[in-house]
Amino acid sequence: MNVIDHVRDMAAAGLHSNVRIMSSLLLTMSNNNPELFSPSQKYQLLVYHADALFHDKEYRNAGCKYRMALQQKKVLSKTSKVRTSTGGTASSLQSQSLPSEIEVKYKIAECYTILKLDRDAIAVLDGIPSRQRTPKINMMLANLYRKAGQERSAVTSYKEVLRQCPLALDAIIGLLSLSVKGAEVASMTMDVIQSIPNLDWLSVWIKAYAFIHAGDNLRAINTICSLEKKSLLRDNVDLLVSLADLYFRAGDTKNSILKFEQAQMLDPYLIKGMDVYGYLMAREGHLEDVEVLGGRLFNISDQHAEPWVISGCHSFYSKRYSRALYLGAKAIQLNSNSVQALLLKGAALRNMGRVQEAIIHFREAMRLAPCRLDCYEGLIDCYLASNGIREAMGMANNIYKTLGANAQTLTILATVCLEDPMTQEKAKTLLDKALAQRPDYIKAVVKKAELLSREQKYEEGIALLRHALANQSDCVLHRMLGDFLVAVNDYQEAMDQYSIALSLDPNDQKSLEGMQKMEKEESPTEATVEEDGDDMEGSGEDGDLEGSDSEAAQWADQEQWFGMQ
């Protein structure tokens, strides 16, 4: 047993730090005396050294050593051909025990993808002949092709994965995301479904994800619910997270939060989907719960985007936009495909007045999640903020035509129509259609109430809001009802509604302003004193703003440090 065998055994035993030190010393010896080790032994040393570097997350150095190993393998191939021609058999036996050249190329591609050098990764894997590609090589290629927009090549690679591993469910999701028909994908798994007991649910699972990637949220919800109710798949965390995400996409916040909580109870270490859950909780005003959730996830892993997004949502809804921007950028650095991180950063940029930069982030979110309406809503908000009503209208019409006339798309189109006095009537018709489909859809109720307020139809607005609040409680709806009640001089109930709104979201400034305005009107003698107090508070707020500017500078510095802007 020679020294190389000892290094190989240490590598197999996972003693990476030991391998790194020993292989480094042996490689130096080889450089000083080329005759000390054979070409095959030097190739092995380079691969084992590169593996140790990869384990230590030194990906550039590891990639360099892997490439050196491949160069050494070329030298080895030439010498082995000479030996084979002279009849040597020992060399062929030795070559069979060497680290796989295909595996080395895969490792190089892994280094490139981690370093975000996707084109280089594709070039390395493309250099492997099709017949020699293992399922994991095809899977990596498929994901890289999809990210690069090479959809046809991605489909071919995903299908090759399924041909070799018909239960590769992530490959199935990849095909469905590229608009391959559910029936075609199901046919590729039919043999294994029929030959293995208790796999009959898989065809239903494929059907559910086909609906998801077609943007048919309601049918996807019904299909997954039917799966989740089956005793063998009850309480599956992945299904619950998918269901929660679908409720979120469908605008059903209550059920979405319920399913996320259910999944979290089943798996306290759950990270997937928690960024959406944190966003919903922050949007609902539960900032203390969001802070606790973010801290808990950081304790689980700070190398995932989700905890950074959750903390960013807490900052955003606390109106600390510069900090939210930094945290969103950090999340993107960890996972460039995090849609929620892109939306967070885009929203922070928009609220800081950097609309053109925000548009870039919302467009990237749209590319990654073409069926998520909140990506389009963010972009439309940016267009409206920069007076681009024509662009907003074009986008809203495109969503309406692509995803069909459901309550969400109708409301998005109505929102843009409300910005133009010439299309007010169209907005009203669209909102009526949306509410006919889903009377409980909060965004449609809010927009319809805004329209009724403009038209001074206060009694009609009160009836609309009372009906919406009959089965759900929402801060914005309670606050708007308070505004309408003030307009009809029902001050006592208006005060009650503002109080309820503030109990749901203590940070809701508009409810607080409405309540303070009523108090001033009710006690004009105290109003003067309060106005003086307000002046003093105003000077205090200036101080806070100065503080937030210094904080913005601090976070901006950190962003530049991390290269995130």
Side-chain angles (χ1 to χ4, degrees):
M1 189 171 183
N2 60 38
V3 68
I4 307 299
D5 294 331
H6 281 286
V7 175
R8 183 194 61 215
D9 290 347
M10 286 193 294
L15 300 175
H16 304 290
S17 60
N18 301 275
V19 171
R20 178 172 179 168
I21 296 169
M22 191 64 188
S23 59
S24 173
L25 292 168
L26 294 175
L27 285 167
T28 303
M29 290 169 60
S30 176
N31 291 335
N32 290 325
N33 183 0
E35 300 300 320
L36 200 58
F37 297 111
S38 69
S40 65
Q41 288 176 325
K42 190 170 181 183
Y43 167 68
Q44 290 178 78
L45 282 174
L46 284 165
V47 173
Y48 298 143
H49 189 61
D51 286 343
L53 291 167
F54 187 92
H55 182 266
D56 287 344
K57 300 182 179 178
E58 296 183 27
Y59 302 114
R60 288 189 188 279
N61 197 357
C64 176
K65 295 300 185 293
Y66 282 128
R67 289 193 297 273
M68 288 171 65
L70 288 181
Q71 289 298 320
Q72 187 64 32
K73 188 69 165 62
K74 287 180 181 178
V75 174
L76 176 60
S77 299
K78 289 176 183 177
T79 56
S80 64
K81 283 178 184 176
V82 173
R83 288 177 183 174
T84 305
S85 65
T86 59
T89 57
S91 61
S92 61
L93 290 171
Q94 187 184 39
S95 65
Q96 290 174 10
S97 64
L98 294 177
S100 163
E101 187 178 346
I102 302 299
E103 185 65 24
V104 171
K105 288 182 178 179
Y106 177 80
K107 283 289 189 180
I108 293 173
E110 272 195 306
C111 291
Y112 283 141
T113 53
I114 292 167
L115 295 168
K116 297 181 171 57
L117 301 170
D118 292 349
R119 287 184 182 179
D120 294 326
I122 290 173
V124 171
L125 296 177
D126 267 340
I128 301 172
S130 299
R131 290 182 181 178
Q132 295 180 14
R133 292 176 190 171
T134 61
K136 70 176 182 180
I137 289 172
N138 278 311
M139 191 70 191
M140 183 186 280
L141 257 179
N143 290 333
L144 287 166
Y145 282 141
R146 183 174 64 170
K147 193 175 176 183
Q150 300 177 41
E151 295 189 359
R152 186 174 296 178
S153 298
V155 167
T156 302
S157 295
Y158 280 131
K159 284 183 176 179
E160 190 58 30
V161 174
L162 278 183
R163 188 185 68 78
Q164 296 172 291
C165 302
L167 293 181
L169 301 189
D170 204 28
I172 288 174
I173 291 173
L175 283 172
L176 295 171
S177 72
L178 293 168
S179 303
V180 178
K181 298 292 183 185
E184 183 184 347
V185 176
S187 68
M188 299 177 73
T189 63
M190 198 55 66
D191 289 343
V192 73
I193 289 173
Q194 291 174 350
S195 62
I196 298 176
N198 299 317
L199 269 187
D200 53 312
W201 54 266
L202 184 54
S203 56
V204 182
W205 185 92
I206 294 170
K207 185 179 177 183
Y209 279 86
F211 287 140
I212 289 172
H213 290 286
D216 195 340
N217 295 325
L218 296 179
R219 289 172 80 182
I221 287 170
N222 291 335
T223 309
I224 289 184
C225 282
S226 72
L227 265 180
E228 215 270 324
K229 285 174 184 174
K230 288 187 176 182
S231 57
L232 291 176
L233 291 177
R234 187 175 297 138
D235 292 338
N236 176 265
V237 172
D238 285 329
L239 284 179
L240 285 169
V241 170
S242 294
L243 198 52
D245 191 57
L246 282 165
Y247 279 125
F248 161 64
R249 293 187 191 196
D252 189 343
T253 301
K254 182 180 176 182
N255 273 318
S256 180
I257 289 174
L258 192 67
K259 292 299 175 184
F260 275 128
E261 287 175 347
Q262 196 176 336
Q264 204 178 196
M265 287 175 66
L266 289 165
D267 183 0
Y269 297 101
L270 178 66
I271 292 179
K272 182 184 177 183
M274 289 295 100
D275 49 351
V276 175
Y277 175 55
Y279 160 69
L280 287 174
M281 296 289 283
R283 196 179 71 182
E284 293 294 298
H286 307 306
L287 293 183
E288 289 183 9
D289 294 333
V290 173
E291 191 171 16
V292 171
L293 176 66
R296 190 168 62 76
L297 259 68
F298 272 120
N299 286 332
I300 296 169
S301 171
D302 61 357
Q303 295 303 304
H304 286 74
E306 285 83 351
W308 297 91
V309 172
I310 291 166
S311 291
C313 289
H314 182 276
S315 296
F316 182 86
Y317 283 95
S318 301
K319 297 182 170 57
R320 298 161 71 186
Y321 301 125
S322 184
R323 187 167 190 268
L325 175 62
Y326 164 73
L327 292 165
K330 176 64 178 176
I332 292 168
Q333 187 184 53
L334 289 168
N335 180 6
S336 59
N337 292 328
S338 171
V339 174
Q340 212 58 44
L342 288 162
L343 292 176
L344 169 64
K345 193 176 177 188
L349 287 165
R350 181 192 62 211
N351 284 23
M352 293 169 71
R354 294 158 62 177
V355 177
Q356 292 307 312
E357 292 174 75
I359 286 172
I360 293 168
H361 288 77
F362 285 123
R363 281 179 176 163
E364 177 63 10
M366 278 170 49
R367 186 187 72 78
L368 292 169
C371 293
R372 275 188 58 168
L373 288 173
D374 49 343
C375 302
Y376 299 93
E377 287 174 325
L379 190 56
I380 287 170
D381 286 344
C382 286
Y383 287 144
L384 294 177
S386 56
N387 295 317
I389 294 179
R390 182 177 296 178
E391 292 90 340
M393 186 64 77
M395 178 65 69
N397 275 313
N398 185 48
I399 298 166
Y400 179 77
K401 290 173 184 174
T402 306
L403 299 179
N406 58 54
Q408 291 166 285
T409 57
L410 288 162
T411 304
I412 289 171
L413 187 53
T415 300
V416 181
C417 290
L418 284 171
E419 297 296 317
D420 187 349
M422 301 295 292
T423 52
Q424 298 287 302
E425 283 303 313
K426 183 180 179 182
K428 186 176 181 180
T429 304
L430 291 166
L431 290 169
D432 286 341
K433 286 181 179 178
L435 290 168
Q437 285 189 25
R438 282 184 57 187
D440 62 337
Y441 186 46
I442 289 175
K443 288 184 179 179
V445 175
V446 167
K447 290 299 172 183
K448 180 69 183 292
E450 285 178 9
L451 184 58
L452 292 171
S453 179
R454 290 183 194 180
E455 296 173 343
Q456 297 185 354
K457 296 180 179 178
Y458 302 121
E459 295 293 347
E460 195 175 333
I462 289 168
L464 171 73
L465 292 165
R466 286 194 196 283
H467 184 264
L469 286 165
N471 298 312
Q472 60 188 329
S473 191
D474 178 80
C475 170
V476 176
L477 297 185
H478 282 293
R479 185 229 302 151
M480 293 186 84
L481 181 54
D483 292 341
F484 275 93
L485 290 164
V486 168
V488 296
N489 301 321
D490 190 344
Y491 299 116
Q492 184 56 53
E493 193 184 350
M495 186 70 82
D496 293 341
Q497 293 299 326
Y498 288 137
S499 297
I500 296 170
L502 286 168
S503 70
L504 293 170
D505 182 2
N507 297 308
D508 186 46
Q509 196 63 32
K510 291 183 179 179
S511 294
L512 194 60
E513 288 169 2
M515 189 175 279
Q516 288 172 345
K517 186 178 178 182
M518 283 181 56
E519 287 171 350
K520 287 177 184 178
E521 288 177 358
E522 286 181 356
S523 13
T525 54
E526 294 175 11
T528 311
V529 178
E530 287 183 8
E531 281 170 12
D532 291 339
D534 285 345
D535 289 341
M536 291 175 69
E537 285 177 13
S539 63
E541 284 173 8
D542 289 341
D544 288 343
L545 285 170
E546 286 172 13
S548 73
D549 285 341
S550 65
E551 182 192 38
Q554 174 193 349
W555 288 107
D557 288 343
Q558 292 195 48
E559 284 179 62
Q560 289 172 1
W561 176 261
F562 282 99
M564 292 176 184
Q565 281 187 299

